[in-house]
Amino acid sequence: MTTAEHPNSGTVHTVAAGHPAAHATLGAALHAAAPGDEIRIAPGTYEEALRIDRDIVLRADGGTVTLAAPGGTTPALEVLPGARLTLDGLTVRGGAADRPAVLLSGGLTHWHGGGTDRGRLEVLREAALTMTGARLTGAALAGALIRTVGAVRLTDCVLEGAQGTGVVVGGDSRLELTGTRIKGATGSGVRVREDAHIVLRDCLIDGAGRSGLLFEDRSAALLVDCRIRDCGGEAVRVLDSSPVPRDGDPYEAADGRIPAQADGGLLLYGCELTGAGTDALHVAGSGDAVLDGCVLRDGGGAGATAGERARVRLADTRIVRTTAAALTAHGTARLEARGTTVRGSSANGVLATGSATVSLTDSEVTDCRFSALHAGGGAGLTLTRLRAGTTPEHGLHAVADSRLTLTEVHLTDCGMSGLDLSGAAAAEAAELSVVRCRNGVVAASGGTVRLTGCTVTDAERAGLTFGGGDAELTGGRVLRAGTAGLVFQGGATVRAADVDITEAAGSGMVVAAGATPDVRAVRIVRPGKNGLIVDAKGAGTFEDCDITGPGFPAVHLGEAAAPALTRVRVQDAEADLSTEDGAAPTVRDCVSWKVEDAQWPAPFAPVPATAASGAQTTGAPAGDGTTTTVPPAEENLDDLLGELHELIGLDRVKQDVASLVKLMRMVQRREAAGLAAPPLSRHLVFAGNPGTGKTTVARLYGRILAAVGLLEKGHLVEADRSALVGEYVGHTGPKTQRVFMEAMGGVLFIDEAYSLAPAHATGGNDFAQEAIATLVKLMEDHRDAVVVIVAGYPVEMEHFIDSNPGLASRFNRTLLFEDYGTQDLVQIVEQHASAHQYELTDAARDTLVGYFDHVPRDGRFGNGRSARQTFQAMTERQAYRVAENDAPSEADLRTLSELDVPELELPKQDLPPAELPDGTAGAQARPQPYPSGTGGPVQQA
């Protein structure tokens, strides 16, 4: 007998060579089989060529079954249109490696296990294929050729050792690979052409001789959680592609939803591109690529290159250790990145040339061998909230006709300049910060330069240097420049206004011959040399400027210098003006105060010791030689109080601050009426446990004082013991002074202040007492310019205040920050959820109440920080939960349920006894998920 009736799939035919009850060949069994029949094949090698034209099941009956083509060019297996073939455990061997072993020209094929061991797999015309757990090896030119309008899906398959391209996909094909490995292709791992679309999930492309993925024409791809490593060429190369759809753009999607299919362009989510021979990602032509949550590292070229007309967008991506520039854009390409980190480039971190445009937001570029960012040609860089530096060259270098737009950019530790502009480069920068660079900002270009609110700190040489061109500097600070604070080179016509220059080692401002700057409202405090030096034949206009405590004469004019000095105020200097032969300044309404050799008269209202804050002064000198500073308010007080009252919890603190505001207003009214003002100490103690909002309230308090008119700026400077206390004799005093001067016009907030006077201190080499003494003196000397807030645990702060009589007399008001209650903590979690576009279910809120009711309020409890950590834990648990859903809805992705509330570990004795079936408590109670009467999740310790 060669056949048997099968209850589910029709007749079963058996094939076993030499067995009298079975067919000797597959061809004989196929000839005898009717549509829907099954052919079971005994282990062995069958040299036959099969053409399937009906519904058939071919199943290996244990062991290895190989279907081998007799030779020549004919495929060993061909499936014709209209057929339905199921292969189970069969391996197919073609006649030649460069010819098809399997040709699917139509029909539907399901293939489980087995695979091919010589020749390629071809899926053409209208054929459809699902393949699971198969291994494709021994092919030349291509391991698989897909060119069909039918769906092709490969799951948990291996394509290995192709002498050519691993997989070629063309036409209108739709290919989906899941858990599939493509290894050792001598050409590209996957090549996608024409209008083909592919989806790869959890796949590996390893050791391709050329590109791991190659895209051409109008192709599209979606890759999720894939790895492409150790390719001879690029990990991903895009010569052209279809565009990413503008509707529902995945880069702009607020909820981070991953598309279900490849609708256009190249989309990579959570992928790793490592060890590429050249660029990890190279996009040219009109290619369009989006990377989200990816890692690009250890490549032989760039991390990501956008050339010609390409567009590349990156989000939350890391680019580490590249041989060439990590991010490169040229031609007319557009490259955008947010939340992206670049580290360890052997060249530039970012390189933009041609007419390319590059935009980086909330990103970081560090540890580069060349300049962190370089722009040339006519390229445009837009940088927002970027941190860059740790490079032997420039932090940001712009040449030729490049254009920069900078907002809240932070440049640190650069061996050359933080920002360097040359050629005709143009720049607009707001809130730029440059720290510990050889030069702060060098703007020697002929282009338009606008700097607003910029800060340069601890430059080894000059803080800001300007050459020719149209330049404007408005607002900002230069702290502790190694030479001059502000330098105007020959030909400079800079307009500078409202700038603070503090403790420059050289002169505050230096004007070279041929420079004619227009300088207004610049405040220079304690320069090591002159406050203002104008070299021979220099000029310029200087109005409403303050110079305090210079080491040399406040203003020095070289031979034939001819500046215009109007309302320049000098204080605490040996001399206000020194000149060389031929100097011819124009001096109007300039005054000097506490100057030994004064050419200018003393004012009716001298410059106060608070000049570093930049406050405008009014009134007459008091008996101690100080004056009252009342700057105009820049923010609406009612709005600030409203912002305070919107904070969660803190009812007692809100009442205390509101009372202080009322007291300050009363003091101002008495002064306006000519009445004596009562004593008013604005310094405060903030006592409370961590995470209770002390820093937030301190920041608001400074802004409120500025709105009332009791502080000039209202900014907040945060410090701790390490920022105040030095490491050797003579180090602590200047260190404390520098921090204090940064807070001029604002609030100095010292967190964990009790560490300056530990309860069990034994003296020795602890310089903290020197820091306290210096702080007390500075508070007295500048009592109207700085508000000091000390913060820490309640008991420890009491000891701190009692440790020094000067502290006790200056900190006579304590605001107690009580721990947040359960409802407050739940509200904080909801606030974080809303800010990140999540929604809590009612059950989740109820469960959170129980959770926070049972959180141990010990030393590890962080109040608001604990609430934030709880929210983060909920998002992680929700991500794992939703990941089990193959097609989650938008509601699934946004919703946080009670299942996402983290488990809380409590000691066993804290758990209630479990009830037995009869309602009584069992002696050996099993752990319960929730304590009795609560919704909070608990886990037995």
Side-chain angles (χ1 to χ4, degrees):
M1 291 291 295
T2 59
T3 61
E5 293 296 325
H6 192 277
N8 297 321
S9 57
T11 301
V12 175
H13 305 261
T14 60
V15 178
H19 196 288
H23 293 289
T25 65
L26 289 171
L30 183 62
H31 180 75
D37 285 358
E38 176 180 330
I39 299 176
R40 292 185 180 176
I41 311 166
T45 299
Y46 299 85
E47 293 190 1
E48 303 181 52
L50 301 183
R51 302 181 81 237
I52 308 300
D53 58 1
R54 71 199 79 170
D55 296 354
I56 289 294
V57 176
L58 298 179
R59 177 169 288 121
D61 194 8
T64 301
V65 175
T66 302
L67 173 62
T73 61
T74 302
L77 176 65
E78 182 177 359
V79 179
L80 302 177
R84 293 173 62 91
L85 172 64
T86 297
L87 294 174
D88 190 354
L90 268 69
T91 297
V92 181
R93 180 181 301 154
D98 61 352
R99 305 297 297 177
V102 177
L103 175 60
L104 308 181
S105 57
L108 173 61
T109 300
H110 297 282
W111 195 336
H112 310 284
T116 62
D117 64 7
R118 184 170 62 207
R120 64 179 171 270
L121 167 67
E122 290 192 2
V123 188
L124 307 177
R125 301 184 184 92
E126 299 179 358
L129 169 67
T130 60
M131 177 178 280
T132 305
R135 188 178 189 88
L136 308 180
T137 63
L141 300 182
L145 172 62
I146 314 297
R147 189 180 178 85
T148 179
V149 296
V152 180
R153 295 183 178 88
L154 276 63
T155 303
D156 297 330
C157 294
V158 175
L159 289 83
E160 188 169 18
Q163 297 300 304
T165 304
V167 180
V168 177
V169 190
D172 294 311
S173 299
R174 299 295 184 265
L175 170 64
E176 182 171 339
L177 305 180
T178 302
T180 292
R181 310 294 183 254
I182 302 173
K183 299 181 179 181
T186 61
S188 297
V190 178
R191 182 181 184 184
V192 189
R193 306 181 57 190
E194 298 165 325
D195 294 293
H197 289 200
I198 67 168
V199 176
L200 277 67
R201 302 180 188 276
D202 190 28
C203 291
L204 168 66
I205 300 176
D206 187 7
R210 295 184 180 177
S211 303
L213 285 173
L214 174 61
F215 293 89
E216 302 173 78
D217 305 321
R218 299 163 300 280
S219 56
L222 168 65
L223 279 72
V224 181
D225 297 331
C226 293
R227 292 171 295 154
I228 305 175
R229 67 190 186 193
D230 300 334
C231 299
E234 304 88 348
V236 177
R237 184 181 185 187
V238 182
L239 299 179
D240 263 314
S241 77
S242 59
V244 173
R246 297 282 79 82
D247 295 336
D249 189 334
Y251 181 81
E252 304 295 340
D255 58 5
R257 181 174 62 250
I258 298 176
Q261 58 189 8
D263 292 325
L266 174 63
L267 311 179
L268 279 72
Y269 293 86
C271 296
E272 294 186 9
L273 313 181
T274 61
T278 56
D279 297 350
L281 171 69
H282 187 100
V283 185
S286 56
D288 195 348
V290 172
L291 280 70
D292 194 336
C294 296
V295 176
L296 288 63
R297 59 180 173 85
D298 298 319
T305 293
E308 299 176 353
R309 304 172 305 283
R311 184 179 187 187
V312 175
R313 286 158 291 173
L314 301 93
D316 301 324
T317 290
R318 292 188 297 121
I319 304 175
V320 184
R321 294 186 299 273
T322 58
T323 302
L327 293 174
T328 301
H330 57 84
T332 60
R334 292 175 293 167
L335 190 152
E336 306 165 39
R338 59 173 171 79
T340 291
T341 300
V342 171
R343 184 174 289 114
S345 169
S346 295
N348 300 111
V350 177
L351 174 63
T353 58
S355 299
T357 59
V358 175
S359 173
L360 274 66
T361 303
D362 296 322
S363 297
E364 181 178 1
V365 181
T366 60
D367 298 314
C368 301
R369 187 170 297 178
F370 298 168
S371 297
L373 300 99
H374 180 93
L381 263 63
T382 300
L383 310 176
T384 305
R385 295 183 299 279
L386 173 78
R387 302 181 68 86
T390 315
T391 169
E393 296 192 357
H394 303 293
L396 175 53
H397 190 202
V399 302
D401 295 304
S402 58
R403 308 171 311 282
L404 308 180
T405 302
L406 316 178
T407 305
E408 296 182 35
V409 171
H410 189 66
L411 306 172
T412 61
D413 300 303
C414 303
M416 295 182 179
S417 302
L419 171 62
D420 189 275
L421 307 172
S422 61
E428 289 195 13
E431 306 300 326
L432 170 69
S433 173
V434 181
V435 179
R436 295 186 302 274
C437 298
R438 182 170 176 81
N439 296 292
V441 175
V442 177
S445 72
T448 300
V449 178
R450 300 284 184 269
L451 306 179
T452 304
C454 298
T455 301
V456 178
T457 306
D458 294 327
E460 182 181 338
R461 301 183 68 179
L464 296 113
T465 301
F466 291 92
D470 179 14
E472 185 174 307
L473 173 65
T474 305
R477 297 185 298 165
V478 180
L479 306 176
R480 300 181 295 275
T483 56
L486 187 54
V487 176
F488 304 102
Q489 296 177 337
T493 58
V494 182
R495 298 176 297 282
D498 193 24
V499 179
D500 293 332
I501 302 173
T502 303
E503 295 183 346
S507 297
M509 287 189 291
V510 175
V511 182
T516 56
D518 182 354
V519 178
R520 302 173 189 272
V522 170
R523 296 164 289 277
I524 302 172
V525 178
R526 292 186 302 281
K529 296 183 179 179
N530 306 106
L532 166 64
I533 181 170
V534 182
D535 285 343
K537 298 183 181 180
T541 300
F542 304 86
E543 294 187 8
D544 296 311
C545 295
D546 298 315
I547 303 174
T548 302
F552 291 6
V555 178
H556 177 79
L557 306 179
E559 182 179 355
L565 308 175
T566 303
R567 294 184 299 280
V568 175
R569 297 177 288 274
V570 177
Q571 177 179 335
D572 295 329
E574 294 183 2
D576 50 14
L577 178 66
S578 66
T579 60
E580 298 182 14
D581 293 342
T586 300
V587 179
R588 296 187 181 88
D589 301 327
C590 295
V591 296
S592 298
W593 174 253
K594 294 184 179 180
V595 175
E596 295 181 11
D597 182 10
Q599 297 189 34
W600 299 337
F604 292 104
V607 177
T610 59
S613 69
Q616 298 298 319
T617 60
T618 59
D624 60 359
T626 63
T627 61
T628 303
T629 61
V630 187
E634 297 181 356
E635 293 187 278
N636 184 277
L637 179 60
D638 291 335
D639 291 342
L640 292 173
L641 291 175
E643 186 175 343
L644 173 67
H645 285 285
E646 287 177 2
L647 297 178
I648 295 172
L650 305 177
D651 293 339
R652 183 172 176 179
V653 172
K654 295 172 184 176
Q655 293 176 1
D656 290 342
V657 173
S659 298
L660 281 170
V661 171
K662 292 178 181 178
L663 178 60
M664 294 171 192
R665 283 178 157 176
M666 183 273 292
V667 169
Q668 288 181 311
R669 292 190 183 104
R670 288 181 61 87
E671 289 179 333
L675 301 174
L680 175 62
S681 175
R682 298 171 294 174
H683 308 302
L684 298 174
V685 177
F686 282 6
N689 291 323
T692 49
K694 297 186 290 295
T695 305
T696 299
V697 174
R699 188 173 289 109
L700 266 172
Y701 185 63
R703 294 165 60 196
I704 289 172
L705 291 181
V708 173
L710 294 178
L711 282 179
E712 195 272 340
K713 293 182 179 178
H715 66 289
L716 183 77
V717 174
E718 298 181 58
D720 57 13
R721 176 189 170 96
S722 64
L724 303 173
V725 179
E727 300 174 359
Y728 51 83
V729 175
H731 189 207
T732 296
K735 195 171 184 180
T736 303
Q737 288 177 357
R738 282 196 295 271
V739 174
F740 193 91
M741 295 308 296
E742 289 183 22
M744 279 291 186
V747 173
L748 175 59
F749 181 79
I750 305 175
D751 200 12
E752 299 180 348
Y754 52 82
S755 63
L756 296 173
H760 304 291
T762 58
N765 293 326
D766 190 348
F767 302 114
Q769 289 299 321
E770 181 184 354
I772 293 176
T774 303
L775 187 65
V776 169
K777 184 178 186 306
L778 290 169
M779 291 170 65
E780 177 60 27
D781 293 345
H782 305 280
R783 60 180 179 268
D784 293 329
V786 175
V787 168
V788 179
I789 297 176
V790 291
Y793 294 101
V795 175
E796 285 83 349
M797 291 308 297
E798 289 183 10
H799 172 80
F800 171 70
I801 298 301
D802 294 337
S803 68
N804 186 296
L807 293 176
S809 64
R810 287 164 178 79
F811 294 98
N812 53 23
R813 184 184 295 270
T814 298
L815 272 60
L816 180 61
F817 288 69
E818 299 175 342
D819 287 345
Y820 288 114
T822 292
Q823 292 299 331
D824 293 333
L825 295 169
V826 174
Q827 191 175 351
I828 292 172
V829 172
E830 287 188 287
Q831 189 178 70
H832 284 297
S834 176
H836 293 82
Q837 295 185 308
Y838 286 92
E839 296 176 357
L840 271 66
T841 64
D842 292 338
R845 295 186 185 92
D846 294 340
T847 305
L848 278 172
V849 169
Y851 176 86
F852 286 124
D853 276 344
H854 292 80
V855 168
R857 304 297 176 101
D858 53 20
R860 294 181 299 173
F861 181 67
N863 281 289
R865 180 166 58 251
S866 292
R868 183 181 71 250
Q869 292 169 348
T870 299
F871 164 71
Q872 292 172 344
M874 291 178 69
T875 61
E876 292 174 3
R877 292 168 66 95
Q878 185 250 25
Y880 284 114
R881 177 172 57 81
V882 173
E884 298 177 1
N885 187 347
D886 291 336
S889 66
E890 180 176 348
D892 292 333
L893 297 169
R894 296 175 65 95
T895 300
L896 297 175
S897 75
E898 70 276 15
L899 299 176
D900 304 319
V901 178
E903 296 174 343
L904 178 65
E905 294 185 359
L906 292 179
K908 183 184 296 185
Q909 59 268 24
D910 290 344
L911 291 175
E915 290 187 355
L916 297 177
D918 61 359
T920 63
Q924 299 295 327
R926 60 179 174 84
Q928 295 186 12
Y930 303 93
S932 300
T934 74
V938 176
Q939 187 177 54
Q940 182 175 354

